[in-house]
Amino acid sequence: MKFNEQDQSRLIPALKVIGEPNRLRILCGLGMACLPVVDIIHATGLGQTNVSFHLRVLREAGFVRAERRGAFIFYCLADRDLLQILQNLKLWLETRVETHPNRKNQPLMGGHNSATTT
Amino acid sequence: MKFNEQDQSRLIPALKVIGEPNRLRILCGLGMACLPVVDIIHATGLGQTNVSFHLRVLREAGFVRAERRGAFIFYCLADRDLLQILQNLKLWLETRVETHPNRKNQPLMGGHNSATTT
DNA sequence: TGATAATATCAGTCCATATTTATATGAATA
DNA sequence: TATTCATATAAATATGGACTGATATTATCA
């Protein structure tokens, strides 16, 4: 399985967004819920403006959506399927064992092998 | 679905690693293959020492493994299941459509709803 | 309508880390 | 054994973006 340039150009910015620890914390903290910003501020312990900044990044990247309800703006995941993806990643990480240098006896040379060609 | 602190403390560093664009490029470029460093250097266009640095980060985080073969050191994915995870993420990203504010008619208030409690 | 609360925006600073340059290490070869 | 090639390491520097403080915007309430 290989990812072409288009695949990568799609993955890179998305992973960049969720690669930031506090943004991931916000996403995980949201889960299935919808929370107003004040709750996110308290849950994360971050400054209000910092939270607002991260929420904007998440919103513009399509990870969360916002809805104003009176004085509050509620945020929740734009698509909760993301949780499944994160869950898969978590499970994968859990099953990794540092003592196994060759996971699942995967052959080292499993594909194209080159010393001088790309 | 919620991720507790332990889950998050596992996900955060991992996503931090692959959230760096060039490291993700290296992983995607490896795919099923095993490549010597020179190939990775040429494929990415990065400097040799920069590649070496990123490979070390990937290696220490358990994403790749290295094997010396004579004058060359070959790198490949430590566990190619990662490709499936990335593939799922890619597919998810592809199916996201910016014009749909409410993905799959997911209810906005899908869970815990609070304005003042965390 | 003014005060207050919730939240976003802006500009500047700070900090983590990517990158570069110099050098060290390991392997192959003459 | 010295040289060359491949790659890693160390230190310094550059860069991007997280964070902060000030301020603006929006909604609510008296």
Side-chain angles (χ1 to χ4, degrees), chain A residues 34 39 67 81 104 108 117, chain B residues 34 36 39 67 81 104 108 117:
Chain A
C34 286
D39 282 13
E67 183 169 329
D81 284 352
K104 300 179 184 175
L108 189 62
T117 59
Chain B
C34 286
D39 281 12
E67 183 169 328
D81 284 351
K104 299 177 183 176
L108 188 64
T117 59

Side-chain angles (χ1 to χ4, degrees), chain A residues 1-2 7 29 34 36 39 61 65 67 74 79-81 90 92 96 101 103-104 106-108 114 117, chain B residues 2 7 29 32 34 36 39 61 65 67 74 79-81 90 92 96 101 103-104 107-108 113-114 117:
Chain A
M1 185 182 302
K2 264 307 242 330
D7 298 332
C34 286
D39 282 13
R65 61 193 155 105
E67 183 169 329
F74 281 74
D79 180 356
R80 295 187 183 113
D81 284 352
K90 187 200 77 167
W92 180 71
R96 286 192 320 178
R103 283 269 308 172
K104 300 179 184 175
Q106 290 179 331
L108 189 62
S114 163
T117 59
Chain B
K2 263 306 235 345
D7 298 331
M32 303 294 288
C34 286
D39 281 12
R65 62 194 152 101
E67 183 169 328
F74 281 72
D79 181 356
R80 294 188 183 111
D81 284 351
K90 188 200 76 168
W92 180 71
R96 285 192 323 179
R103 284 271 306 172
K104 299 177 183 176
L108 188 64
N113 170 25
S114 163
T117 59

Side-chain angles (χ1 to χ4, degrees), chain B residues 45-63:
Chain B
L46 300 172
Q48 176 266 316
T49 53
N50 197 8
V51 166
S52 203
F53 165 73
H54 285 305
L55 287 175
R56 202 204 73 217
V57 174
L58 288 169
R59 192 176 63 239
E60 291 179 354
F63 283 99

